[in-house]
Amino acid sequence: MTEPAMSGATSAGSASARSTKPVRLAVVGGRRGQSFHRSLDRLADKAHVVAVCDLDENVLREWRDRLPDVSAYLRYEDLLEDAEVDAVLLATPLQLHATQAITALRAGRHVLSEVTAARTLEECWELVETVDQTGRTYMMAENYCFMRPNLMVENMAAQGLFGELTHLEGGYIHDTRSLLHHPDGSLTWRGDLRAGLDSISYPTHSMGPVARWLRAGNGPDDRFEVLTAFTSDSPGKRRYFDQRFGADHPAARRPDYWQQGDSGTALIHTTKGVVVTIRVDSSPRPHNMTHYGLQGSRGAYLSARHDGEDPLVWIEGLSPGASESLPGQEPARWDSLWKHAPEYEHPLWRERLTDALDAGHGGGDFFVIDEFVTAITEGRPPAVDVRDAVTWSCVAALSAESIAGGGKPISFPDFGK
């Protein structure tokens, strides 16, 4: 069963969200930034790309071929001196995000940063302080928060359909081994990340949606409190490099080469007693990059495991059967999530379904850009603000400390509001 097209969906945004002057946007990291082309085309009345920055002249040439008037820069510092730039979209390696964001904010620019926001707790705190000091808009581009099933579950949780939430699960299960190396076998920035530190280094795709469900279902005073984490060994990565580059490659030969294991799991406890499971796994298997689950006192949610399967819900009083399995009662049976879309579709998807379906990452890229520029023009905090960004991103640093301590429980910082 495929996702249903909602009747009455429109590609026109609400009049209140429109700006008479588009935000002048610079894309930093032109190769990954190209994936936003369709979303930016759809949002031309709100965002206008005026500049691009990349280290590769060929990438800059591709942007100029498509947008002849765009200013092209090899140096980030030169781009920030361009008075025509209101905001930057950081689509660079994640090790650079915090420093580049802080530099842009201090230069008076608004910032939309790809994930993760920061790698260390020191970077997290400096980012929060810089946003507070400059008053510029900062948003993390966690596109998984805006995917259609995730927003619909958030809407259902906010209306109390699942009852009080007790367990949440987020997983990013994606074989990324081919992204760890250049053609000659040397490591990319992703490879350096996994070779350099044992941690759950890419947590926000897992964290973002479940954090929003927690806030929607249990209220803003239920916060992540303490974390414990473990990672596996790295046989999948070693075997891959053996097959691709031979047994003499150090990534295949040395057992200690990969600090970060193939599979990492964090258990998080919240202030209201919710248990959260976060998994990031790069092992060989079919893609399941949107693996989520929710359990509440009145219902549950399971995400689809593959393209041919529907996401599932069971909600007491709305779905078939009773979970108690008492004599004479029909046993509980799952419903397709899409069965409930006519009533519980998130308003964003009702309004912009056509536009979003044409964008990347399940519509997430469209809503990320739309939310960012609308927050700027309306002078309000964005949906994923700097404190959300650092709370979800700091799992990388906290998990490294926990793993180094044999699964030692580590408390979450309180970045405040």
PDB file of all heavy atoms in Angstrom, residues 250-279:
ATOM      1  N   PRO A 250      45.446  -1.042   5.775  1.00  0.00           N
ATOM      2  CA  PRO A 250      45.367  -1.024   7.251  1.00  0.00           C
ATOM      3  C   PRO A 250      43.940  -1.093   7.786  1.00  0.00           C
ATOM      4  O   PRO A 250      43.717  -1.626   8.876  1.00  0.00           O
ATOM      5  CB  PRO A 250      46.044   0.294   7.626  1.00  0.00           C
ATOM      6  CG  PRO A 250      46.052   1.113   6.365  1.00  0.00           C
ATOM      7  CD  PRO A 250      46.145   0.141   5.242  1.00  0.00           C
ATOM      8  N   ALA A 251      42.967  -0.571   7.012  1.00  0.00           N
ATOM      9  CA  ALA A 251      41.578  -0.631   7.466  1.00  0.00           C
ATOM     10  C   ALA A 251      41.031  -2.044   7.447  1.00  0.00           C
ATOM     11  O   ALA A 251      40.041  -2.345   8.123  1.00  0.00           O
ATOM     12  CB  ALA A 251      40.701   0.263   6.581  1.00  0.00           C
ATOM     13  N   ALA A 252      41.665  -2.931   6.691  1.00  0.00           N
ATOM     14  CA  ALA A 252      41.273  -4.344   6.660  1.00  0.00           C
ATOM     15  C   ALA A 252      42.105  -5.181   7.614  1.00  0.00           C
ATOM     16  O   ALA A 252      41.632  -6.173   8.165  1.00  0.00           O
ATOM     17  CB  ALA A 252      41.420  -4.886   5.233  1.00  0.00           C
ATOM     18  N   ARG A 253      43.366  -4.782   7.819  1.00  0.00           N
ATOM     19  CA  ARG A 253      44.330  -5.627   8.536  1.00  0.00           C
ATOM     20  C   ARG A 253      44.336  -5.369  10.041  1.00  0.00           C
ATOM     21  O   ARG A 253      44.394  -6.295  10.848  1.00  0.00           O
ATOM     22  CB  ARG A 253      45.732  -5.380   7.968  1.00  0.00           C
ATOM     23  CG  ARG A 253      46.825  -6.259   8.571  1.00  0.00           C
ATOM     24  CD  ARG A 253      48.190  -5.938   7.978  1.00  0.00           C
ATOM     25  NE  ARG A 253      48.698  -4.643   8.441  1.00  0.00           N
ATOM     26  CZ  ARG A 253      48.778  -3.554   7.698  1.00  0.00           C
ATOM     27  NH1 ARG A 253      48.391  -3.585   6.430  1.00  0.00           N
ATOM     28  NH2 ARG A 253      49.262  -2.418   8.173  1.00  0.00           N
ATOM     29  N   ARG A 254      44.271  -4.108  10.456  1.00  0.00           N
ATOM     30  CA  ARG A 254      44.483  -3.770  11.862  1.00  0.00           C
ATOM     31  C   ARG A 254      43.179  -3.824  12.655  1.00  0.00           C
ATOM     32  O   ARG A 254      42.227  -3.088  12.350  1.00  0.00           O
ATOM     33  CB  ARG A 254      45.090  -2.372  11.977  1.00  0.00           C
ATOM     34  CG  ARG A 254      46.551  -2.308  11.596  1.00  0.00           C
ATOM     35  CD  ARG A 254      47.054  -0.874  11.553  1.00  0.00           C
ATOM     36  NE  ARG A 254      46.487  -0.038  12.607  1.00  0.00           N
ATOM     37  CZ  ARG A 254      46.516   1.296  12.572  1.00  0.00           C
ATOM     38  NH1 ARG A 254      47.053   1.913  11.536  1.00  0.00           N
ATOM     39  NH2 ARG A 254      45.994   1.994  13.561  1.00  0.00           N
ATOM     40  N   PRO A 255      43.097  -4.646  13.674  1.00  0.00           N
ATOM     41  CA  PRO A 255      41.863  -4.732  14.467  1.00  0.00           C
ATOM     42  C   PRO A 255      41.505  -3.424  15.169  1.00  0.00           C
ATOM     43  O   PRO A 255      40.336  -3.170  15.444  1.00  0.00           O
ATOM     44  CB  PRO A 255      42.171  -5.833  15.491  1.00  0.00           C
ATOM     45  CG  PRO A 255      43.277  -6.625  14.883  1.00  0.00           C
ATOM     46  CD  PRO A 255      44.092  -5.644  14.092  1.00  0.00           C
ATOM     47  N   ASP A 256      42.532  -2.594  15.447  1.00  0.00           N
ATOM     48  CA  ASP A 256      42.287  -1.352  16.177  1.00  0.00           C
ATOM     49  C   ASP A 256      42.124  -0.142  15.267  1.00  0.00           C
ATOM     50  O   ASP A 256      42.067   1.001  15.726  1.00  0.00           O
ATOM     51  CB  ASP A 256      43.432  -1.089  17.162  1.00  0.00           C
ATOM     52  CG  ASP A 256      44.773  -0.883  16.446  1.00  0.00           C
ATOM     53  OD1 ASP A 256      44.882  -1.259  15.249  1.00  0.00           O
ATOM     54  OD2 ASP A 256      45.707  -0.367  17.081  1.00  0.00           O
ATOM     55  N   TYR A 257      42.043  -0.365  13.945  1.00  0.00           N
ATOM     56  CA  TYR A 257      42.001   0.765  13.006  1.00  0.00           C
ATOM     57  C   TYR A 257      40.722   1.572  13.181  1.00  0.00           C
ATOM     58  O   TYR A 257      40.737   2.800  13.219  1.00  0.00           O
ATOM     59  CB  TYR A 257      42.109   0.235  11.573  1.00  0.00           C
ATOM     60  CG  TYR A 257      42.228   1.321  10.526  1.00  0.00           C
ATOM     61  CD1 TYR A 257      43.470   1.816  10.163  1.00  0.00           C
ATOM     62  CD2 TYR A 257      41.094   1.851   9.907  1.00  0.00           C
ATOM     63  CE1 TYR A 257      43.594   2.817   9.207  1.00  0.00           C
ATOM     64  CE2 TYR A 257      41.204   2.849   8.950  1.00  0.00           C
ATOM     65  CZ  TYR A 257      42.451   3.327   8.607  1.00  0.00           C
ATOM     66  OH  TYR A 257      42.571   4.327   7.662  1.00  0.00           O
ATOM     67  N   TRP A 258      39.598   0.869  13.235  1.00  0.00           N
ATOM     68  CA  TRP A 258      38.303   1.540  13.356  1.00  0.00           C
ATOM     69  C   TRP A 258      37.934   1.689  14.825  1.00  0.00           C
ATOM     70  O   TRP A 258      37.627   0.713  15.496  1.00  0.00           O
ATOM     71  CB  TRP A 258      37.218   0.747  12.617  1.00  0.00           C
ATOM     72  CG  TRP A 258      37.471   0.619  11.150  1.00  0.00           C
ATOM     73  CD1 TRP A 258      37.871  -0.503  10.486  1.00  0.00           C
ATOM     74  CD2 TRP A 258      37.348   1.646  10.175  1.00  0.00           C
ATOM     75  NE1 TRP A 258      38.009  -0.233   9.158  1.00  0.00           N
ATOM     76  CE2 TRP A 258      37.695   1.085   8.922  1.00  0.00           C
ATOM     77  CE3 TRP A 258      36.980   2.993  10.222  1.00  0.00           C
ATOM     78  CZ2 TRP A 258      37.678   1.816   7.745  1.00  0.00           C
ATOM     79  CZ3 TRP A 258      36.968   3.730   9.043  1.00  0.00           C
ATOM     80  CH2 TRP A 258      37.309   3.144   7.824  1.00  0.00           C
ATOM     81  N   GLN A 259      37.960   2.908  15.315  1.00  0.00           N
ATOM     82  CA  GLN A 259      37.587   3.152  16.695  1.00  0.00           C
ATOM     83  C   GLN A 259      36.076   3.004  16.893  1.00  0.00           C
ATOM     84  O   GLN A 259      35.621   2.497  17.914  1.00  0.00           O
ATOM     85  CB  GLN A 259      38.039   4.558  17.114  1.00  0.00           C
ATOM     86  CG  GLN A 259      39.538   4.738  17.128  1.00  0.00           C
ATOM     87  CD  GLN A 259      40.219   3.801  18.108  1.00  0.00           C
ATOM     88  OE1 GLN A 259      39.874   3.769  19.278  1.00  0.00           O
ATOM     89  NE2 GLN A 259      41.172   3.009  17.619  1.00  0.00           N
ATOM     90  N   GLN A 260      35.315   3.459  15.903  1.00  0.00           N
ATOM     91  CA  GLN A 260      33.855   3.367  15.997  1.00  0.00           C
ATOM     92  C   GLN A 260      33.383   2.055  15.387  1.00  0.00           C
ATOM     93  O   GLN A 260      33.733   1.722  14.257  1.00  0.00           O
ATOM     94  CB  GLN A 260      33.194   4.536  15.269  1.00  0.00           C
ATOM     95  CG  GLN A 260      31.681   4.533  15.376  1.00  0.00           C
ATOM     96  CD  GLN A 260      31.070   5.751  14.704  1.00  0.00           C
ATOM     97  OE1 GLN A 260      31.611   6.850  14.790  1.00  0.00           O
ATOM     98  NE2 GLN A 260      29.957   5.566  14.029  1.00  0.00           N
ATOM     99  N   GLY A 261      32.579   1.303  16.129  1.00  0.00           N
ATOM    100  CA  GLY A 261      32.130   0.009  15.660  1.00  0.00           C
ATOM    101  C   GLY A 261      31.069   0.098  14.581  1.00  0.00           C
ATOM    102  O   GLY A 261      30.548   1.169  14.259  1.00  0.00           O
ATOM    103  N   ASP A 262      30.741  -1.064  14.010  1.00  0.00           N
ATOM    104  CA  ASP A 262      29.722  -1.118  12.965  1.00  0.00           C
ATOM    105  C   ASP A 262      28.347  -0.712  13.496  1.00  0.00           C
ATOM    106  O   ASP A 262      27.547  -0.121  12.779  1.00  0.00           O
ATOM    107  CB  ASP A 262      29.620  -2.537  12.390  1.00  0.00           C
ATOM    108  CG  ASP A 262      30.826  -2.915  11.555  1.00  0.00           C
ATOM    109  OD1 ASP A 262      31.612  -2.016  11.192  1.00  0.00           O
ATOM    110  OD2 ASP A 262      30.981  -4.114  11.267  1.00  0.00           O
ATOM    111  N   SER A 263      28.059  -1.065  14.750  1.00  0.00           N
ATOM    112  CA  SER A 263      26.739  -0.806  15.323  1.00  0.00           C
ATOM    113  C   SER A 263      26.894  -0.150  16.684  1.00  0.00           C
ATOM    114  O   SER A 263      27.683  -0.611  17.514  1.00  0.00           O
ATOM    115  CB  SER A 263      25.959  -2.121  15.461  1.00  0.00           C
ATOM    116  OG  SER A 263      24.641  -1.883  15.931  1.00  0.00           O
ATOM    117  N   GLY A 264      26.144   0.922  16.892  1.00  0.00           N
ATOM    118  CA  GLY A 264      26.180   1.627  18.168  1.00  0.00           C
ATOM    119  C   GLY A 264      24.783   1.842  18.706  1.00  0.00           C
ATOM    120  O   GLY A 264      23.858   2.153  17.948  1.00  0.00           O
ATOM    121  N   THR A 265      24.616   1.674  20.016  1.00  0.00           N
ATOM    122  CA  THR A 265      23.319   1.851  20.646  1.00  0.00           C
ATOM    123  C   THR A 265      23.475   2.673  21.912  1.00  0.00           C
ATOM    124  O   THR A 265      24.391   2.439  22.702  1.00  0.00           O
ATOM    125  CB  THR A 265      22.681   0.496  21.011  1.00  0.00           C
ATOM    126  OG1 THR A 265      22.492  -0.268  19.816  1.00  0.00           O
ATOM    127  CG2 THR A 265      21.335   0.692  21.685  1.00  0.00           C
ATOM    128  N   ALA A 266      22.579   3.632  22.086  1.00  0.00           N
ATOM    129  CA  ALA A 266      22.508   4.412  23.320  1.00  0.00           C
ATOM    130  C   ALA A 266      21.155   4.200  23.962  1.00  0.00           C
ATOM    131  O   ALA A 266      20.132   4.174  23.269  1.00  0.00           O
ATOM    132  CB  ALA A 266      22.728   5.891  23.038  1.00  0.00           C
ATOM    133  N   LEU A 267      21.142   4.024  25.268  1.00  0.00           N
ATOM    134  CA  LEU A 267      19.916   4.005  26.051  1.00  0.00           C
ATOM    135  C   LEU A 267      19.837   5.307  26.834  1.00  0.00           C
ATOM    136  O   LEU A 267      20.810   5.691  27.508  1.00  0.00           O
ATOM    137  CB  LEU A 267      19.886   2.828  27.012  1.00  0.00           C
ATOM    138  CG  LEU A 267      19.618   1.447  26.416  1.00  0.00           C
ATOM    139  CD1 LEU A 267      19.681   0.391  27.512  1.00  0.00           C
ATOM    140  CD2 LEU A 267      18.258   1.407  25.728  1.00  0.00           C
ATOM    141  N   ILE A 268      18.698   5.980  26.724  1.00  0.00           N
ATOM    142  CA  ILE A 268      18.497   7.274  27.368  1.00  0.00           C
ATOM    143  C   ILE A 268      17.297   7.179  28.289  1.00  0.00           C
ATOM    144  O   ILE A 268      16.268   6.592  27.927  1.00  0.00           O
ATOM    145  CB  ILE A 268      18.278   8.381  26.318  1.00  0.00           C
ATOM    146  CG1 ILE A 268      19.509   8.496  25.405  1.00  0.00           C
ATOM    147  CG2 ILE A 268      17.987   9.720  26.984  1.00  0.00           C
ATOM    148  CD1 ILE A 268      19.293   9.387  24.191  1.00  0.00           C
ATOM    149  N   HIS A 269      17.417   7.752  29.470  1.00  0.00           N
ATOM    150  CA  HIS A 269      16.313   7.827  30.421  1.00  0.00           C
ATOM    151  C   HIS A 269      15.907   9.287  30.556  1.00  0.00           C
ATOM    152  O   HIS A 269      16.764  10.177  30.611  1.00  0.00           O
ATOM    153  CB  HIS A 269      16.745   7.282  31.788  1.00  0.00           C
ATOM    154  CG  HIS A 269      15.611   6.958  32.706  1.00  0.00           C
ATOM    155  ND1 HIS A 269      15.233   7.779  33.740  1.00  0.00           N
ATOM    156  CD2 HIS A 269      14.758   5.904  32.737  1.00  0.00           C
ATOM    157  CE1 HIS A 269      14.214   7.244  34.376  1.00  0.00           C
ATOM    158  NE2 HIS A 269      13.900   6.107  33.793  1.00  0.00           N
ATOM    159  N   THR A 270      14.603   9.553  30.564  1.00  0.00           N
ATOM    160  CA  THR A 270      14.118  10.929  30.653  1.00  0.00           C
ATOM    161  C   THR A 270      13.669  11.248  32.071  1.00  0.00           C
ATOM    162  O   THR A 270      13.545  10.373  32.930  1.00  0.00           O
ATOM    163  CB  THR A 270      12.947  11.179  29.685  1.00  0.00           C
ATOM    164  OG1 THR A 270      11.736  10.622  30.233  1.00  0.00           O
ATOM    165  CG2 THR A 270      13.222  10.580  28.316  1.00  0.00           C
ATOM    166  N   THR A 271      13.396  12.521  32.301  1.00  0.00           N
ATOM    167  CA  THR A 271      13.020  12.958  33.640  1.00  0.00           C
ATOM    168  C   THR A 271      11.677  12.386  34.084  1.00  0.00           C
ATOM    169  O   THR A 271      11.392  12.344  35.282  1.00  0.00           O
ATOM    170  CB  THR A 271      12.959  14.492  33.706  1.00  0.00           C
ATOM    171  OG1 THR A 271      12.104  14.993  32.675  1.00  0.00           O
ATOM    172  CG2 THR A 271      14.347  15.087  33.540  1.00  0.00           C
ATOM    173  N   LYS A 272      10.822  11.960  33.144  1.00  0.00           N
ATOM    174  CA  LYS A 272       9.538  11.351  33.490  1.00  0.00           C
ATOM    175  C   LYS A 272       9.553   9.833  33.350  1.00  0.00           C
ATOM    176  O   LYS A 272       8.511   9.192  33.343  1.00  0.00           O
ATOM    177  CB  LYS A 272       8.422  11.937  32.630  1.00  0.00           C
ATOM    178  CG  LYS A 272       8.047  13.374  32.978  1.00  0.00           C
ATOM    179  CD  LYS A 272       6.818  13.827  32.210  1.00  0.00           C
ATOM    180  CE  LYS A 272       6.401  15.232  32.594  1.00  0.00           C
ATOM    181  NZ  LYS A 272       5.186  15.686  31.838  1.00  0.00           N
ATOM    182  N   GLY A 273      10.733   9.241  33.232  1.00  0.00           N
ATOM    183  CA  GLY A 273      10.841   7.794  33.229  1.00  0.00           C
ATOM    184  C   GLY A 273      10.647   7.118  31.898  1.00  0.00           C
ATOM    185  O   GLY A 273      10.448   5.902  31.845  1.00  0.00           O
ATOM    186  N   VAL A 274      10.721   7.856  30.798  1.00  0.00           N
ATOM    187  CA  VAL A 274      10.648   7.248  29.468  1.00  0.00           C
ATOM    188  C   VAL A 274      12.010   6.657  29.111  1.00  0.00           C
ATOM    189  O   VAL A 274      13.053   7.257  29.400  1.00  0.00           O
ATOM    190  CB  VAL A 274      10.230   8.289  28.406  1.00  0.00           C
ATOM    191  CG1 VAL A 274      10.176   7.653  27.016  1.00  0.00           C
ATOM    192  CG2 VAL A 274       8.873   8.897  28.759  1.00  0.00           C
ATOM    193  N   VAL A 275      12.005   5.485  28.494  1.00  0.00           N
ATOM    194  CA  VAL A 275      13.229   4.861  28.000  1.00  0.00           C
ATOM    195  C   VAL A 275      13.309   5.096  26.491  1.00  0.00           C
ATOM    196  O   VAL A 275      12.353   4.835  25.761  1.00  0.00           O
ATOM    197  CB  VAL A 275      13.250   3.349  28.304  1.00  0.00           C
ATOM    198  CG1 VAL A 275      14.482   2.695  27.680  1.00  0.00           C
ATOM    199  CG2 VAL A 275      13.230   3.117  29.814  1.00  0.00           C
ATOM    200  N   VAL A 276      14.446   5.587  26.035  1.00  0.00           N
ATOM    201  CA  VAL A 276      14.666   5.892  24.623  1.00  0.00           C
ATOM    202  C   VAL A 276      15.842   5.062  24.127  1.00  0.00           C
ATOM    203  O   VAL A 276      16.908   5.058  24.748  1.00  0.00           O
ATOM    204  CB  VAL A 276      14.949   7.393  24.407  1.00  0.00           C
ATOM    205  CG1 VAL A 276      15.144   7.696  22.923  1.00  0.00           C
ATOM    206  CG2 VAL A 276      13.829   8.252  24.992  1.00  0.00           C
ATOM    207  N   THR A 277      15.655   4.369  22.999  1.00  0.00           N
ATOM    208  CA  THR A 277      16.719   3.590  22.374  1.00  0.00           C
ATOM    209  C   THR A 277      17.145   4.269  21.081  1.00  0.00           C
ATOM    210  O   THR A 277      16.308   4.539  20.213  1.00  0.00           O
ATOM    211  CB  THR A 277      16.247   2.158  22.048  1.00  0.00           C
ATOM    212  OG1 THR A 277      15.736   1.546  23.229  1.00  0.00           O
ATOM    213  CG2 THR A 277      17.385   1.330  21.506  1.00  0.00           C
ATOM    214  N   ILE A 278      18.420   4.557  20.970  1.00  0.00           N
ATOM    215  CA  ILE A 278      18.976   5.195  19.769  1.00  0.00           C
ATOM    216  C   ILE A 278      19.993   4.248  19.147  1.00  0.00           C
ATOM    217  O   ILE A 278      20.918   3.789  19.832  1.00  0.00           O
ATOM    218  CB  ILE A 278      19.643   6.538  20.109  1.00  0.00           C
ATOM    219  CG1 ILE A 278      18.619   7.527  20.674  1.00  0.00           C
ATOM    220  CG2 ILE A 278      20.341   7.124  18.877  1.00  0.00           C
ATOM    221  CD1 ILE A 278      17.491   7.861  19.736  1.00  0.00           C
ATOM    222  N   ARG A 279      19.824   3.951  17.870  1.00  0.00           N
ATOM    223  CA  ARG A 279      20.734   3.028  17.181  1.00  0.00           C
ATOM    224  C   ARG A 279      21.249   3.668  15.902  1.00  0.00           C
ATOM    225  O   ARG A 279      20.480   4.228  15.115  1.00  0.00           O
ATOM    226  CB  ARG A 279      20.010   1.727  16.847  1.00  0.00           C
ATOM    227  CG  ARG A 279      20.865   0.717  16.089  1.00  0.00           C
ATOM    228  CD  ARG A 279      20.047  -0.511  15.740  1.00  0.00           C
ATOM    229  NE  ARG A 279      20.777  -1.451  14.905  1.00  0.00           N
ATOM    230  CZ  ARG A 279      20.220  -2.460  14.258  1.00  0.00           C
ATOM    231  NH1 ARG A 279      18.913  -2.678  14.368  1.00  0.00           N
ATOM    232  NH2 ARG A 279      20.950  -3.268  13.508  1.00  0.00           N
TER     233      ARG A 279
END
